[in-house]
Amino acid sequence: MTTALIADDEPLLAASLAARLKALWPALDIVAVAANGVEAVAALNAHRPDLAFLDIRMPGLTGLQVAQAARDTRVVFVTAYDEYALSAFEHAAIDYLLKPVDDVRLAQCVSRLQRQTQAPPDLQAALAALNPAPAASSLAWLTVGLGDTTRLVALDEVLYFEASNKYTNVVTATERHLIRTPLKDLLPQLDPQRFAQVHRAVIVNLGAVARIHRDLLGRQQVHLKQCADVLPLSRGFAGRFRQM
């Protein structure tokens, strides 16, 4: 059975699209309806649907940002974008629906999806045309797990990252999480204007730094605004903080 996710911050439009899809495609299993971008990414991670109908303008994360997490999911954008943007979608063989969604156009979309059996198209190429961003700053959130629960942690909430063997501790003002990505693999994905390595085992959010303190032995330490933790600042990484 083909599974699908619908994400739209307008509940009536989401419910209408779900009902019309079921009428056109009775075998389609709509596994989740998300009200915003964050819920949509969580649903993608939890259900791994075959299809995702994504509104482009949603609170939290846009449909374009959500689509970056849709690695094995065919995406249909629900959009009011102009013809230039739509042509980019078509070039990558990604379908789209213009609001308000026309019945005939929706039926054409369903027919196309039912016929399409090949692997998902090059979504990243289309996204690059619409939402270009440096690769080093592409990471906007982290997916963390606790038991059967999947959560999203925005990068803005992270105070610092700390290496822990092959894993990494993610520390916010109120929580600590352990992720499987090693610190050395995480660093290239972070925006260098927002995050800096202060020790071989520590990366800090620059916006969370309150002050740099030097103790009696000449060792430098990073003090944070929202956390009592004190982080070591190695000499090799101290240059960036001389103005603080």
Side-chain angles (χ1 to χ4, degrees), residues 97-112:
L97 297 170
L98 281 172
K99 289 183 177 181
V101 179
D102 177 81
D103 287 341
V104 174
R105 182 67 186 87
L106 182 59
Q108 291 172 341
C109 174
V110 168
S111 177
R112 179 180 181 181

Side-chain angles (χ1 to χ4, degrees), residues 7-9 34-38 40 54-66:
D8 197 312
D9 62 333
N36 55 60
V38 173
L54 304 178
D55 185 14
I56 285 183
R57 298 191 177 184
M58 293 186 291
L61 299 170
T62 68
L64 297 175
Q65 292 172 314
V66 173

Side-chain angles (χ1 to χ4, degrees), residues 21 28 41 46 58 60-61 66 70 84 97 105 134 150 158 162 195 236:
L21 283 171
L28 183 67
V41 172
M58 293 186 291
L61 299 170
V66 173
Y84 174 79
L97 297 170
R105 182 67 186 87
T150 299
V158 177
E162 184 177 34
F195 291 88

